[in-house]
Amino acid sequence: MTQPFSPAVLERLGNAQRVTAFTGAGISAESGVPTFRGTDGIWSKFRPEELANMNAFMRNPELVWEWYAHRKRVIAEVQPNAGHHALVRLEQLVPQFALITQNIDNLHRRAGSVTVYELHGNIERNYCMACGRTMSNEEVLATPGVPHCSSCGGMVRPDVVWFGEMLPEDEWEKSVRAAESSDFFLSIGTSAVVYPAASLPLLARDQGACLVEVNPERTPMTDNVDEFLQGQAGTILPALVRALEGIRAGRD
Ligand code: OAD
């Protein structure tokens, strides 16, 4: 089925020099990674205050590690989907491109996206809380329980951002610059409720970008976007990229 994109959006995309995509858990849903919110979301089954903050970790590191070890194994088994692959193609088609993600699943890089800013960390990385040494998933999953640093014996944690923690400064600054300088900004598969990440789409729009949202459901941001593309990322993004390829072919 051909996706009906408005002529205004296709014109803005066809002329865009700097395109930024901003993704949330929804883009990985079709790969089989559960989202956080909604009826089947992770936070409907588990309490974030028991699993995703430093106090919870210090109180019960075994429980937190059990949960992360499970998620690491689930994510290692899944594959990038058509939505991830469409963003790889988009990066090749436009002069400047940045992909900002809230996801920790590493599926954008595994698909082949190059310029990726990870605002909430990456579940494939771990580091020692005492000496900072990094450890691979292979190392930390080799033995059950809480992993310890093979250099200093300190406790190891996943390299993900927990509630109450700062975002990685460098990734955040690059993301703000990408948002501010983009002329076309795609917000994909995010409920747009977790700040500061959720401020980026409207920052881009305030600075003049055409803001397009891709989501099966409306979000708090939907009333303020230039175009709401209602549906699944794995369907809409490949269609949008095909439309851009069509525009480019027509100009040749
Ligand atoms: P959410 O679970 O809050 O939202 C997922 C969004 O994806 C919802 O708006 C869904 O409607 C939409 N969605 C579902 N299936 C989709 C599909 N096939 N295509 C497109 N969209 C789809 O996830 P995030 O917005 O990513 O933070 O959540 C933000 C942050 O909250 C996460 O990064 C995580 C979480 O707590 C940390 O871990 C720090």
Side-chain angles (χ1 to χ4, degrees):
M1 192 188 82
T2 314
Q3 192 74 34
F5 302 114
S6 78
V9 160
L10 290 180
E11 190 184 341
R12 292 292 295 268
L13 181 58
N15 292 330
Q17 297 297 309
R18 293 164 187 258
V19 175
T20 301
F22 172 63
T23 63
I27 195 167
S28 297
E30 291 161 77
S31 291
V33 184
T35 59
F36 292 95
R37 294 171 186 82
T39 35
D40 289 327
I42 289 174
W43 295 151
S44 71
K45 301 190 181 95
F46 303 97
R47 287 154 55 90
E49 52 273 41
E50 282 173 11
L51 294 169
N53 70 73
M54 182 53 88
N55 285 342
F57 186 61
M58 296 316 283
R59 214 169 36 237
N60 197 343
E62 290 79 12
L63 174 72
V64 174
W65 259 109
E66 193 184 321
W67 191 63
Y68 275 98
H70 169 70
R71 287 190 71 203
K72 283 169 185 285
R73 290 194 174 97
V74 167
I75 288 170
E77 291 293 312
V78 304
Q79 299 302 325
N81 65 54
H84 298 103
H85 291 300
L87 294 180
V88 177
R89 181 71 187 125
L90 187 58
E91 181 164 27
Q92 296 160 350
L93 284 172
V94 297
Q96 284 194 45
F97 180 85
L99 202 172
I100 305 166
T101 188
Q102 300 166 88
N103 299 344
I104 60 173
D105 57 31
N106 204 34
L107 289 178
H108 288 301
R109 288 189 202 281
R110 283 176 55 199
S113 287
V114 179
T115 303
V116 183
Y117 305 142
E118 291 166 327
L119 291 181
H120 292 163
N122 186 317
I123 200 159
E124 290 192 9
R125 296 191 306 253
N126 311 276
Y127 66 91
C128 170
M129 290 164 65
C131 75
R133 181 178 179 275
T134 55
M135 284 173 74
S136 69
N137 274 353
E138 258 180 10
E139 283 175 281
V140 300
L141 295 178
T143 47
V146 180
H148 286 85
C149 178
S150 46
S151 298
C152 77
M155 198 148 65
V156 172
R157 63 168 281 179
D159 190 359
V160 298
V161 174
W162 284 329
F163 286 98
E165 293 183 326
M166 300 289 286
L167 302 192
E169 207 177 312
D170 189 43
E171 308 280 299
W172 174 246
E173 281 171 7
K174 286 176 179 161
S175 300
V176 169
R177 280 203 296 275
E180 285 174 339
S181 63
S182 48
D183 36 28
F184 194 93
F185 192 102
L186 273 166
S187 179
I188 305 154
T190 177
S191 57
V193 294
V194 174
Y195 283 81
S199 65
L200 292 170
L202 293 177
L203 172 66
R205 184 160 193 236
D206 286 347
Q207 299 293 318
C210 174
L211 175 58
V212 173
E213 181 179 30
V214 178
N215 201 311
E217 313 277 343
R218 295 180 71 83
T219 71
M221 190 172 64
T222 308
D223 282 342
N224 296 308
V225 303
D226 291 296
E227 185 125 325
F228 176 50
L229 301 176
Q230 189 159 23
Q232 298 202 316
T235 306
I236 292 180
L237 293 177
L240 192 65
V241 168
R242 277 197 301 277
L244 178 60
E245 286 173 328
I247 295 171
R248 290 286 158 79
R251 285 181 187 165
D252 286 343

